[in-house]
Amino acid sequence: MDEAGVVRVLRQVRGPDGRDLVAAKLVDSVSVADGTVHVALRTERAHLAAMEQAGRQVEEALRGAAGVRHVTVVLTSHKQAAPAPAPAPAPAHAGHGPAGHEKFLTDVKSVVAVASGKGGVGKSTVAVNLAVALAQSGRRVGLIDADIYGPSLPRMLGVNQKPGLRDQIMIPVPAFGLVCMSMGFLVPETQAMVWRGPMVMGALSQMLGQTDWGALDVMVVDMPPGTGDAQLTLSQRVDLAGAVIVSTPQDIALLDARRGVTMFEKVGVRILGVVENMSYFQCPHCGGRTDIFGHGGAQAEAAKMGVPFLGAVPLLADVRAAGDAGLPVVIGAPASAAAAAFRAIAEGVVRALGG
Ligand SMILES: Nc1ncnc2c1ncn2[C@@H]1O[C@H](COP(=O)(O)OP(=O)(O)O)[C@@H](O)[C@H]1O
Ligand SMILES: [Mg+2]
């Protein structure tokens, strides 16, 4: 099967307006390598159900085709001002789970999930800098961006490269001493994913299971916000060493953090600790410190929940700029207070993991 062959299949499947997917210009990208086919289809939220149906038809047709071993069909939508709503919590099949499936990442000593109750608290920033700091301390570290809906690793690591393929297995992309995977490496960066349930699990499973991670000391997983399918897949298919919960000092975010903690505790995952991000403002000119949001809430909350407090990261223009420039602050500004905080958090995580 080559790309032209995939396009022929796409011409057989009808989109929401009755035209085939190619004629209706609903195909964003097609790639074929080594028997692995990736197709990205474009959809609007209003047509999501119909496009999911079309996506399944494409998947089925391609699965049956000669020379095709793996198929991923993703639905993309152009980024809107408002973030896509989180997927429905725990679907009906949550209880029994994918029985009999093998575990992923069995060659990794410790898999650490970085999570938060809501988006925008700096979870990806923490995940990236934690991973890089762990790699700087000489560990072999991987980083998975499990946020299918809004991948951020390509931007934060400045990576714009498709993973290589060897014998139908993806080769994770190297960056700053890490090896990384993100859906953002597979589909155009300017689009947000609007996959649902089974598709999210399929995509995440590919990143976990059909990627040559090698033997790693630590795998950091940047979780999507909330308590959806990715959390479920991960807790069922991976032996998590624990979770790091990221929170901002505002009370409302703390309530969300508590939700994040509860979610992991429910599935028997240990909380390695809580990070307070955007904890205080550090003036870039005078170095003075301002506790804008009333710093210390996360620490108090961690104590109340009986989980370790891993550290406070200042709100620093450099952190944002570094993230947007694709140069994590622990690399770009190693002497900054933020970098020091991330290194201390990494040490705390190592301690919580037992050395
Ligand atoms: N400590 C910080 N200081 C300044 N900006 C930050 C800090 N932490 C995160 N940001 C910025 O806030 C935005 C959201 O962070 P991100 O890590 O993407 O959050 P999440 O993954 O929780 O959605 C990004 O633009 C990021 O650069
Ligand atoms: Mg994120």
Side-chain angles (χ1 to χ4, degrees):
M1 174 73 63
D2 57 4
E3 280 163 22
V6 175
V7 169
R8 276 195 295 279
V9 168
L10 293 168
R11 285 192 190 281
Q12 307 289 312
V13 176
R14 294 190 185 286
D17 68 355
R19 286 182 298 167
D20 75 73
L21 296 174
V22 178
K25 298 200 170 25
L26 294 173
V27 180
D28 251 343
S29 68
V30 169
S31 76
V32 181
D34 258 3
T36 297
V37 180
H38 290 293
V39 176
L41 300 176
R42 165 188 307 245
T43 185
E44 291 164 25
R45 296 205 71 80
H47 296 144
L48 193 52
M51 285 304 290
E52 278 179 342
Q53 169 78 21
R56 276 191 294 272
Q57 282 176 34
V58 170
E59 232 176 293
E60 270 162 40
L62 288 170
R63 281 239 160 83
V68 174
R69 301 197 205 193
H70 300 297
V71 180
T72 341
V73 177
V74 306
L75 301 182
T76 67
S77 79
H78 287 275
K79 227 173 199 133
Q80 292 146 3
H93 54 262
H96 39 91
H101 278 316
E102 88 279 23
K103 289 269 183 181
F104 293 133
L105 304 179
T106 49
D107 269 355
V108 178
K109 271 190 220 150
S110 309
V111 183
V112 174
V114 177
S116 65
K118 64 165 203 176
V121 300
K123 188 169 29 60
S124 298
T125 304
V126 171
V128 164
N129 284 286
L130 168 64
V132 175
L134 288 168
Q136 284 176 330
S137 69
R139 292 174 173 80
R140 286 164 302 177
V141 183
L143 177 59
I144 293 185
D145 185 354
D147 197 340
I148 308 292
Y149 300 89
S152 40
L153 279 200
R155 179 174 49 85
M156 291 199 168
L157 294 174
V159 168
N160 189 8
Q161 183 186 335
K162 288 211 190 281
L165 277 171
R166 190 194 308 128
D167 300 332
Q168 292 80 52
I169 299 289
M170 291 190 277
I171 317 288
V173 174
F176 304 111
L178 312 170
V179 280
C180 314
M181 272 301 278
S182 168
M183 268 304 127
F185 299 156
L186 301 172
V187 296
E189 199 195 336
T190 50
Q191 296 163 357
M193 307 296 99
V194 291
W195 307 4
R196 282 299 154 94
M199 284 178 155
V200 170
M201 303 221 207
L204 190 54
S205 296
Q206 281 211 336
M207 291 200 285
L208 293 166
Q210 282 160 34
T211 300
D212 181 9
W213 291 107
L216 298 176
D217 295 311
V218 185
M219 174 69 84
V220 176
V221 185
D222 179 10
M223 299 296 293
T227 53
D229 295 298
Q231 279 79 358
L232 197 67
T233 297
L234 207 74
S235 57
Q236 286 172 337
R237 304 290 300 272
V238 175
D239 282 326
L240 286 171
V244 170
I245 307 292
V246 181
S247 170
T248 62
Q250 293 100 313
D251 283 343
I252 198 83
L254 287 171
L255 286 181
D256 283 314
R258 183 180 281 263
R259 198 175 302 146
V261 168
T262 311
M263 171 188 79
F264 281 108
E265 284 177 341
K266 239 188 244 160
V267 291
V269 174
R270 190 158 71 98
I271 304 299
L272 299 172
V274 172
V275 170
E276 184 172 272
N277 187 35
M278 311 192 197
S279 177
Y280 55 91
F281 175 68
Q282 191 169 32
C283 174
H285 310 295
C286 70
R289 168 176 173 152
T290 315
D291 289 348
I292 302 180
F293 304 113
H295 151 84
Q299 182 155 19
E301 191 69 13
K304 243 190 263 170
M305 292 186 287
V307 301
F309 180 68
L310 290 169
V313 181
L315 179 65
L316 214 55
D318 277 356
V319 174
R320 196 207 50 75
D324 287 348
L327 191 65
V329 75
V330 290
I331 301 269
S336 64
F342 284 125
R343 284 192 298 268
I345 289 163
E347 282 164 24
V349 167
V350 169
R351 263 196 308 279
L353 290 172

